Amino acid sequence: EVQLVESGGVVVQPGGSLRLSCAASGFTFDDYTMHWVRQAPGKGLEWVSLISWDGGSTYYADSVKGRFTISRDNSKNSLYLQMNSLRTEDTALYYCAKVAVEMATMPLFDYWGQGTLVTVSS
Amino acid sequence: EIVLTQSPGTLSLSPGERATLSCRASQSVSSSYLAWYQQKPGQAPRLLIYGASSRATGIPDRFSGSGSGTDFTLTISRLEPEDFAVYYCQQYGSSPGAFGQGTKLEIK
């Protein structure tokens, strides 16, 4: 059974930093591109970042470029999101999501975690 | 960047009725790389439809998708109580894989 479990979400002050983690199981992690998608309270879904199956390619939404860094450790079946210079508008539930097609980057998501809540507030 | 616009914003229907949700793209979606997701309160989104019309694993056949180019539709033939949720369309043929703003399907 595929499982994605996010952690690391807390309350942080504007300008602060945070690292989110996503522990994956139930599939061959290093065959799949992984994404982060966020959802502000009461709002819709916003794509944040992706990292290819081998970590060789990364992409970011314009809203987080230069502040967030996505990474992965295939030996630990884990995905990460380092978040720096946090802003109030980064407040959201952050989901990690697995793409449906192995060795592909297209953002079609067949499994999602339950999310971890990041609140940026003074 | 492709922008997706969903309509209506809210749809009020009764169980047993037919629901028709629309998703319009600002430019053609390549190879019909259009997906639909369902999200219930407190839950993560669930993939319903991909490739505009293919049902994901385990999705009941009352859910169907259609369309191509810039106009796509999700149809729920006979609403069950568990179908009342928010539905998002998403194009995944080009980065960054934008989502529509969602349609809330509520019980009338």
Side-chain angles (χ1 to χ4, degrees), chain A residues 39 44 47 95 106-107 109 112-113, chain B residues 37 39 44-45 47 88 90 92 96:
Chain A
Q39 187 169 36
W47 176 80
Y95 294 102
M106 62 171 56
F109 307 124
W112 301 62
Chain B
Y37 297 86
Q39 187 178 34
L47 178 64
Y88 295 95
Q90 182 215 18
Y92 56 96

Side-chain angles (χ1 to χ4, degrees), chain A residues 39 45 95 109 112, chain B residues 21 35-41 43-49 59-60 62-63 74 76 79-89 99 103 105:
Chain A
Q39 187 169 36
L45 301 168
Y95 294 102
F109 307 124
W112 301 62
Chain B
L21 288 66
W36 291 92
Y37 297 86
Q38 176 194 66
Q39 187 178 34
K40 297 180 181 179
Q43 295 185 18
R46 178 174 71 145
L47 178 64
L48 296 177
I49 300 287
I59 302 303
R62 65 180 181 271
F63 291 90
L74 174 69
I76 310 171
L79 285 166
E80 297 286 343
E82 62 267 27
D83 298 337
F84 292 91
V86 179
Y87 292 83
Y88 295 95
C89 61
F99 293 92
T103 289
L105 179 56

Side-chain angles (χ1 to χ4, degrees), chain A residues 57-95:
Chain A
S57 296
T58 58
Y59 295 93
Y60 300 91
D62 288 344
S63 57
V64 307
K65 200 173 295 181
R67 301 186 298 120
F68 290 11
T69 302
I70 191 171
S71 62
R72 65 191 294 160
D73 186 338
N74 286 347
S75 69
K76 295 182 178 179
N77 287 355
S78 292
L79 173 71
Y80 306 101
L81 186 67
Q82 178 67 43
M83 309 166 68
N84 298 332
S85 302
L86 282 161
R87 304 168 180 168
T88 55
E89 55 264 36
D90 295 319
T91 294
L93 189 63
Y94 284 74
Y95 294 102

Side-chain angles (χ1 to χ4, degrees), chain B:
Chain B
E1 180 178 328
I2 297 177
V3 176
L4 300 178
T5 302
Q6 292 186 240
S7 61
T10 301
L11 184 59
S12 300
L13 293 171
S14 300
E17 291 192 294
R18 179 185 187 92
T20 303
L21 288 66
S22 175
C23 176
R24 177 162 290 178
S26 60
Q27 54 188 282
S28 183
V29 176
S30 62
S31 304
S32 293
Y33 285 154
L34 193 287
W36 291 92
Y37 297 86
Q38 176 194 66
Q39 187 178 34
K40 297 180 181 179
Q43 295 185 18
R46 178 174 71 145
L47 178 64
L48 296 177
I49 300 287
Y50 63 95
S53 61
S54 297
R55 276 187 301 275
T57 303
I59 302 303
D61 61 7
R62 65 180 181 271
F63 291 90
S64 63
S66 62
S68 63
T70 60
D71 289 295
F72 298 88
T73 300
L74 174 69
T75 301
I76 310 171
S77 58
R78 291 176 313 278
L79 285 166
E80 297 286 343
E82 62 267 27
D83 298 337
F84 292 91
V86 179
Y87 292 83
Y88 295 95
C89 61
Q90 182 215 18
Q91 70 82 18
Y92 56 96
S94 62
S95 295
F99 293 92
Q101 82 280 17
T103 289
K104 181 180 181 180
L105 179 56
E106 64 176 24
I107 298 177
K108 188 173 182 180

